[in-house]
Amino acid sequence: MILLMTVLGILVFVFGLLLSIAWHELGHLSTAKIFGIRVPQYMVGFGPTVWSRRKGETEYGIKAIPAGGYIRMIGMFPPGEDGRITARSTSPWRSMIEDARSAAYEELEPGDETRLFYTRKPWKRVIVMFAGPFMNLVLALVVFFGVWMTFGVNMQTTNVKSVTACVIQQSEKRDICKAGDPVAPAKAAGLRPGDRIVAFNGEKVDDWSVLQQKIRDTIGPATVTVQRGGAELTLHPKLIENQVARTDGHGGYVEGKFVEAGFLGFTPRTEKVQLGFGQSVDHMGEMVEQGVQGLIKLPSKIPALWDAAFGDGPREPDSPMGIVGAARISGEIATLDIPATDRLVFFLQLIGFFNLSLFLFNMLPLLPLDGGHIAGALWESVRRNLARLFKRPDPGPFDVAKLMPVAYVVAGIFVCFTLLVLVADVVNPVKIS
């Protein structure tokens, strides 16, 4: 039964993956057709074609490896400086440029001269290339907002889960009191598990991150108003300075980092809370910010990832994870002994995270990513507008094909990184805690 549920979970993820890829490419396809660009192919996946059907001028199909997708647009690159589409060169770098230019015209038909991608105005090309990642962003927003506003999200609240017995510096990594440890201010003041803190120093609070910051900013006498058994009580703890974990600004903690701050001494209860639309917007903003920071930190995680794949190092919970790793997580989720609604929420959020990652990754201004083509179109617009402003000759379209050697290098780095993640996902996968 466990094997069956695991396979079912993996199939659910693969379906969500294919849907996300198809949705991404649909953004490119629809906007390209709106702007009159001819699109001979719309494919989900890579490798051998499993199924395809031609409708109008476009062949729609599914390929064997669900690791991406593409649409083929005619005239992605302008002709060379000599006006020719193909040429030959003894330089390997130059050959890359000429091969890329030739491939962009290999299905050219009579009448296509006015339907080439590069002949469209830069703003239209930006829309076509941005439409794919934008579709992933839209899908991520729909999934996350639907989950948060319908099922809720696990959040730390101002409800008290437990009260610390004594004052311990958090860098000591112990939770058993020793002789001589002072009594924690919360315990001394009479705070109890089950209490709900509604005000701190006379100011109402209903958000854990706000309450946490108020506590840390206070050393000395304070007033804490709690709800207990239907009645409101005011407690008078005397907060002390203690070494506590550094926060990330969103109520979470930074592992291994500590600061000196005010200390009360209790653990907040984590509960599932339904978010309103405004709260969902704020929560989404935090997720995007964390995603961007994750991309920036990605190179620094490679040594630990290598050690986890080929050495005896542990696989960190926030380690980069690929499609195989995500599929394994999906399989594990299906076997968990939790309510079906919780499994559904896990599946949906996994697809949401995947789509948000696709959006952020594709917006990097590097070829062959969509962001690289967007950057090229924007640079062309800047060049042409500057030439017009200073009454200089039109420099013409920016030849993105000249950047193909760089694109091959970038693609090679991506392939190597993908293979490293794949090995780590197989031999030392991230596991659900």
Side-chain angles (χ1 to χ4, degrees):
M1 187 64 180
I2 292 178
L3 178 60
L4 177 62
M5 293 303 294
T6 301
V7 172
L8 180 61
I10 292 173
L11 290 177
V12 168
F13 174 75
V14 171
F15 175 77
L17 174 67
L18 290 173
L19 177 64
S20 302
I21 295 170
W23 185 245
H24 175 104
E25 298 303 334
L26 181 62
H28 292 313
L29 176 74
S30 58
T31 49
K33 286 183 174 291
I34 287 172
F35 295 135
I37 302 166
R38 191 165 76 82
V39 184
Q41 275 191 322
Y42 168 94
M43 290 289 169
V44 177
F46 297 118
T49 301
V50 175
W51 171 89
S52 71
R53 177 173 296 175
R54 178 169 294 278
K55 185 176 180 181
E57 62 187 15
T58 305
E59 178 190 8
Y60 301 85
I62 298 175
K63 290 183 174 286
I65 306 173
Y70 65 91
I71 67 167
R72 189 185 302 280
M73 293 183 286
I74 296 297
M76 284 290 290
F77 308 117
E81 294 177 358
D82 57 0
R84 298 170 62 188
I85 294 171
T86 60
R88 286 292 88 198
S89 172
T90 56
S91 165
W93 298 109
R94 187 67 192 173
S95 293
M96 290 181 186
I97 299 172
E98 293 159 356
D99 289 343
R101 202 187 312 281
S102 176
Y105 291 87
E106 62 183 9
E107 296 182 65
L108 192 67
E109 296 178 355
D112 282 346
E113 293 79 7
T114 60
R115 305 187 63 191
L116 306 176
F117 176 78
Y118 87 90
T119 62
R120 296 303 179 261
K121 292 182 178 181
W123 67 268
K124 291 184 178 180
R125 278 179 276 152
V126 167
I127 289 176
V128 172
M129 300 313 298
F130 178 70
F134 179 70
M135 295 291 270
N136 292 124
L137 178 61
V138 168
L139 187 54
L141 288 172
V142 169
V143 169
F144 282 130
F145 277 48
V147 168
W148 298 338
M149 297 175 70
T150 303
F151 300 101
V153 60
N154 288 327
M155 295 182 66
Q156 290 177 308
T157 65
T158 60
N159 293 338
V160 179
K161 178 182 179 181
S162 62
V163 178
T164 306
C166 59
V167 179
I168 302 174
Q169 291 192 349
Q170 291 191 4
S171 62
E172 294 184 26
K173 296 182 179 179
R174 63 181 174 92
D175 53 12
I176 299 176
C177 296
K178 295 181 179 179
D181 288 339
V183 177
K187 184 175 180 63
L191 190 68
R192 299 178 185 175
D195 288 348
R196 180 188 174 203
I197 299 176
V198 295
F200 186 86
N201 280 340
E203 296 182 12
K204 292 184 177 181
V205 290
D206 59 4
D207 181 270
W208 162 243
S209 60
V210 174
L211 175 60
Q212 181 186 54
Q213 191 58 50
K214 287 181 179 293
I215 292 171
R216 293 188 169 214
D217 291 341
T218 303
I219 298 174
T223 59
V224 177
T225 305
V226 302
Q227 285 185 347
R228 179 188 300 168
E232 278 197 2
L233 301 174
T234 300
L235 308 179
H236 300 277
K238 186 177 181 179
L239 277 66
I240 64 171
E241 187 176 58
N242 189 29
Q243 187 188 69
V244 295
R246 179 182 294 175
T247 64
D248 59 8
H250 306 298
Y253 301 103
V254 179
E255 186 177 356
K257 302 294 183 180
F258 305 95
V259 295
E260 299 292 327
F263 178 76
L264 180 56
F266 76 95
T267 301
R269 185 179 299 278
T270 298
E271 299 176 353
K272 189 161 287 186
V273 179
Q274 282 185 317
L275 303 184
F277 181 78
Q279 292 173 308
S280 297
V281 171
D282 292 339
H283 199 47
M284 192 70 205
E286 293 173 3
M287 286 189 60
V288 171
E289 180 184 343
Q290 292 167 6
V292 172
Q293 291 174 353
L295 275 178
I296 295 172
K297 295 177 182 177
L298 201 59
S300 67
K301 295 181 181 293
I302 292 177
L305 187 63
W306 179 275
D307 197 26
F310 299 105
D312 56 359
R315 187 76 184 272
E316 299 296 335
D318 62 345
S319 172
M321 183 170 57
I323 292 174
V324 171
R328 291 186 67 154
I329 291 291
S330 185
E332 287 184 40
I333 290 170
T335 64
L336 293 178
D337 185 19
I338 57 176
T341 53
D342 288 348
R343 286 201 293 268
L344 175 62
V345 167
F346 268 117
F347 285 132
L348 290 174
Q349 293 199 121
L350 189 61
I351 296 301
F353 281 123
F354 178 76
N355 277 272
L356 180 60
S357 300
L358 271 180
F359 168 75
L360 295 174
F361 184 70
N362 271 289
M363 289 310 296
L364 291 175
L366 300 170
L367 286 173
L369 301 176
D370 296 328
H373 289 282
I374 291 172
L378 292 175
W379 174 238
E380 177 184 324
S381 180
V382 169
R383 288 200 318 166
R384 286 185 150 177
N385 284 322
L386 286 176
R388 191 178 302 113
L389 178 64
F390 293 104
K391 303 186 185 307
R392 293 176 179 172
D394 185 352
F398 176 65
D399 192 359
V400 182
K402 292 182 178 179
L403 298 179
M404 289 312 296
V406 178
Y408 286 126
V409 172
V410 173
I413 293 173
F414 287 162
V415 168
C416 292
F417 179 74
T418 301
L419 291 175
L420 174 60
V421 172
L422 174 63
V423 172
D425 284 343
V426 172
V427 302
N428 193 359
V430 175
K431 292 183 173 63
I432 299 175
S433 60

